Amino acid sequence: MPRSKRRFGWLDALVLAVIFGLTGYLIYRVQIHFHYRWDWRLIPGYFMRYDAERGHWALNLLGQGVLMTLRLAVWSGLLAGLIGGLVGLCRISSSVFLRLLGRSYVELIRNMPPLVFIFIFYFFISGQLLSALAIENRIANAAPETLRVLAILFGPPELWLNFLSGALCLALFEGAYVAEIVRAGIQAVPIAQWEGAAALGLHPQQTLNHVILPQALRTVVPPLAGQFISLIKDSSLVSLISIQEMTFSGNELAVSSGRVFEVWLTVAALYFLLCSGLSRLFRRLERRLDRHGRQPH
Amino acid sequence: MRLSADLKRRQAGARWRAAFDTLAFSLLLLGLGWLLVAGADALHYNWQWYRVPQYLYRLEEGGFRAGPLLQGLGVTLELSALSLLLALIFGLTAALLQRSSSWAGHAVARVYVEIVRNTPMLVQLYLVYFILAPILGMDRFAAAVLALALFEGAYAAEIFRAGIEAVPQGQWEAAEALGLSRLAVYRHVILPQAVRVVLPPLTGLGVSLIKHSALVSVIAVADLTTEGRNLIAETFMTFELWFTVAALYLALTTSLSLLVGWLERRLAVGGAGRH
């Protein structure tokens, strides 16, 4: 297809007319019909505020929400990688038992709406499982220094139970998708590699560890990066079971301050910056990895 | 001879092992079920499965009447169908704009796809429901349809783009050599061929749309999830109703997934034969 660039055609005129028309209509409705008074001045204060009593800056709701989202992403990402790796191996195992187990887990989760999974998890699992862990007792007995280190990793101690159930829920959910990526990555390695390794007298376990997995790793990394970004997006769902991350803070602020438009636009912009920044970073890393991979060893 | 006997013995062994594994798996499922029942017992949970069917349907003298859950399922289907239609329009428009020579069209399509793919569906729903809906005076159902359609439209755009790009370059050249206009090339040559490539992933999109439609319960559209949540608030049959809701979704999405698999196989065979 010959593509003439930087020329102003009829399509450009049409698209611009539609865009300007829509924007103009929206602005007209907001200002004239809706009488909305924009006020962005409060927004920075929702990230950080000056604590007059203690005399230093402290994170406000939205700032805490951002941190919680990041913590959730990191910890549930790691956990989902672990679960997904194990289940992915189950899916290609020679044992029918393990295959059935992996298959049921993956199909069950992938065919259920995330919301329904999260509610079921919240009602059935989180209450019983987490009370068995007795975290609250352990927090009470822990030394202050360890608590401080743990607070950096997992957030404020009074929210640990909350955080743990959110992270576990997300990890169980995303694990199913990671499992499929891992399975596809392993199955993408040509069958001749298995046969070749077997001909060399390698045990199936050795074949997997030394021949198959190193090759599968390269195909698996790009989709895993994409799945990590999906995880950040899906983490907004756990706000519905009162995990206090970014969307939850947004909801609280929109209700309490009444600045609905500004707060939601800010939250959306934060997610956008986080996700598009990460996807750009991953793409750059991938390209570098590709270049190194192609060089002769 | 010895080799074939060895093979036979090994096959028999594999069959025994498979049977054993299936048995073990069934035992595991039984164990999990027992654990669930025991856990519920420990909470003094009162199972009331007999009360669930009336929320699905009722048989009165007038005949079959749908209960709240089936009505919710109907709303879910209606919502999904409407937003799928709209998503296809958005997706095809965005894909064509992205491939067009117009820089403005290209930019608009890119911005749309980037924004949708880099923000959570839930936040988009809030944006539409809390900002766009009051401005434009939409009701919640319309807001839900629009939010779902905008979200899935961006993914549909990628599917359409891939489908159009899968049509061999020679088709474009031949159509141009015949003197067809650009619109005619798309209508009569490219899109009919792209449809075959695009149909299976689009059905997959339908599955994902049904799953994401559960989110609209957040803005209280009376879909299956909302009906389930309302009934639970009324009756406290948390276990029974959530399992029923999940089973209804599973039935819907797995049957669609099976359709995808069937379509993929069929279209693949048909495609290979026709070339």
Side-chain angles (χ1 to χ4, degrees), chain A:
Chain A
M1 266 284 93
R3 270 198 197 171
S4 46
K5 290 216 164 160
R6 307 254 174 270
R7 241 183 44 209
F8 196 81
W10 62 270
L11 197 56
D12 290 304
L14 182 73
V15 168
L16 287 181
V18 168
I19 293 294
F20 281 128
L22 276 179
T23 330
Y25 180 66
L26 279 182
I27 291 174
Y28 163 77
R29 290 287 296 196
V30 173
Q31 305 295 13
I32 312 294
H33 231 70
F34 211 66
H35 294 297
Y36 194 84
R37 285 213 200 102
W38 296 90
D39 185 6
W40 289 93
R41 283 168 302 173
L42 282 172
I43 297 294
Y46 293 147
F47 287 97
M48 296 277 280
R49 69 188 161 80
Y50 190 73
D51 197 336
E53 281 174 30
R54 294 202 210 148
H56 62 80
W57 287 87
L59 282 175
N60 207 347
L61 268 178
L62 211 49
Q64 285 167 358
V66 174
L67 270 186
M68 192 68 162
T69 292
L70 289 176
R71 285 194 191 106
L72 266 180
V74 170
W75 290 111
S76 53
L78 286 176
L79 210 55
L82 196 70
I83 295 173
L86 286 177
V87 176
L89 287 179
C90 283
R91 292 270 279 146
I92 56 141
S93 150
S94 58
S95 142
V96 179
F97 175 71
L98 290 179
R99 277 211 306 272
L100 276 173
L101 196 68
R103 181 95 199 251
S104 330
Y105 168 69
V106 168
E107 293 291 328
L108 197 66
I109 286 189
R110 296 210 326 164
N111 282 308
M112 204 189 290
L115 193 64
V116 173
F117 172 75
I118 284 172
F119 280 132
I120 289 183
F121 175 88
Y122 180 65
F123 280 117
F124 304 148
I125 302 172
S126 101
Q128 295 167 38
L129 197 69
L130 296 182
S131 63
L133 289 176
I135 286 187
E136 262 139 6
N137 288 334
R138 291 192 197 171
I139 293 175
N141 296 332
E145 296 89 60
T146 39
L147 272 186
R148 206 168 310 135
V149 175
L150 287 174
I152 294 171
L153 293 175
F154 302 110
E158 63 271 18
L159 287 179
W160 277 354
L161 221 57
N162 185 293
F163 174 75
L164 192 66
S165 60
L168 206 60
C169 179
L170 266 178
L172 277 175
F173 179 72
E174 301 289 333
Y177 292 85
V178 174
E180 282 301 89
I181 293 174
V182 169
R183 179 185 64 87
I186 292 175
Q187 284 177 346
V189 176
I191 196 89
Q193 297 282 333
W194 288 94
E195 291 164 357
L200 288 175
L202 289 181
H203 193 261
Q205 192 62 47
Q206 290 172 319
T207 312
L208 194 67
N209 288 345
H210 299 293
V211 182
I212 305 299
L213 285 185
Q215 295 183 69
L217 200 64
R218 199 167 288 167
T219 38
V220 150
V221 166
L224 276 187
Q227 194 58 45
F228 183 68
I229 291 170
S230 285
L231 187 145
I232 294 179
K233 290 191 285 174
D234 288 335
S235 76
S236 71
L237 286 178
V238 297
S239 69
L240 299 173
I241 53 170
S242 309
I243 314 297
Q244 309 185 354
E245 44 70 76
M246 208 146 62
T247 312
F248 187 87
S249 319
N251 233 330
E252 275 198 333
L253 281 175
V255 170
S256 65
S257 71
R259 315 262 23 119
V260 180
F261 288 13
E262 291 91 334
V263 166
W264 281 121
L265 285 174
T266 310
V267 170
L270 283 173
Y271 274 111
F272 181 80
L273 286 178
L274 192 61
C275 295
S276 69
L278 273 178
S279 85
R280 216 151 281 207
L281 179 76
F282 287 149
R283 224 173 301 152
R284 188 170 300 171
L285 285 179
E286 204 181 299
R287 225 172 295 145
R288 185 171 297 175
L289 210 70
D290 259 9
R291 226 177 298 141
H292 280 289
R294 248 178 249 134
Q295 273 168 4
H297 287 290

Side-chain angles (χ1 to χ4, degrees), chain B residues 62-142:
Chain B
F64 182 86
R65 285 192 48 192
L69 285 180
L70 278 192
Q71 279 172 13
L73 189 68
V75 173
T76 291
L77 282 175
E78 188 189 346
L79 188 75
S80 308
L82 279 176
S83 28
L84 185 64
L85 204 67
L86 209 55
L88 292 185
I89 296 173
F90 288 157
L92 190 59
T93 314
L96 291 179
L97 280 179
Q98 237 175 16
R99 288 190 55 85
S100 74
S101 54
S102 145
W103 56 265
H106 190 80
V108 166
R110 280 284 310 191
V111 167
Y112 163 58
V113 171
E114 284 292 308
I115 287 181
V116 169
R117 297 188 64 134
N118 284 313
T119 49
M121 166 77 212
L122 184 62
V123 173
Q124 289 166 29
L125 185 68
Y126 284 144
L127 284 180
V128 171
Y129 183 62
F130 287 124
I131 301 185
L132 222 49
I135 292 176
L136 298 176
M138 287 190 288
D139 64 349
R140 52 185 82 220
F141 187 80

